[in-house]
Amino acid sequence: MHRDETSILLNDLIYYVIPNLNTAEKLVLSTLESLSEAATSPLDILKRTEQRQAFGLETHRIRINLEHLLNRYRSEVDAILRSEGEYQGPVVEPDPQEADAIRSAKEIYQHVCAFQRGERPHPIPGR
């Protein structure tokens, strides 16, 4: 089987990709909130509000697709959770939307990590 960049063990999706997305989302939303509170012009406030909404929509899209993927592998997810991560589960075969969600979740986390290291000027991917 050819493994591409979206091939992933179900265990890694559950214990790394999703928690990393949660962490990145909290940081981005917190940063946007701080920037919005510090903004002095209505245009800056509007910009931050629009960024927060766009980012929220993107993470919502990702979560819907990841949830769909987890539902397709429900019995294996349950086995992984019961084993507290000891059971690795199968390599998942995502559909195109699920694969895009996995890539996007990884990219958001990588972007936020780069921001934290000072390698990027913004915590928001695509900026």
Side-chain angles (χ1 to χ4, degrees), residues 19 21 27 33 41 52 56 61 68 71 77 80 84 97 101 123:
L21 176 62
L27 179 84
E33 184 67 29
S41 80
R52 191 170 45 243
R61 178 195 66 81
H68 184 263
N71 284 334
V77 168
I80 289 169
E84 298 179 357
Q97 292 82 15

Side-chain angles (χ1 to χ4, degrees), residues 20-33:
N20 287 347
L21 176 62
N22 293 341
T23 299
E25 181 180 27
K26 287 177 188 172
L27 179 84
V28 169
L29 293 176
S30 174
T31 301
L32 287 172
E33 184 67 29

Side-chain angles (χ1 to χ4, degrees), residues 6-8 10 13-14 18 63-80 87 89-102:
T6 59
S7 294
I8 185 170
L10 189 55
L13 181 65
I14 293 168
I18 293 171
R63 289 184 192 291
I64 286 172
N65 283 292
L66 293 179
E67 182 178 325
H68 184 263
L69 177 60
L70 293 174
N71 284 334
R72 289 195 304 115
Y73 288 87
R74 175 55 48 207
S75 62
E76 289 89 352
V77 168
D78 292 342
I80 289 169
Y87 172 58
V91 172
V92 298
E93 297 180 23
D95 67 25
Q97 292 82 15
E98 295 163 348
D100 184 56
I102 293 169

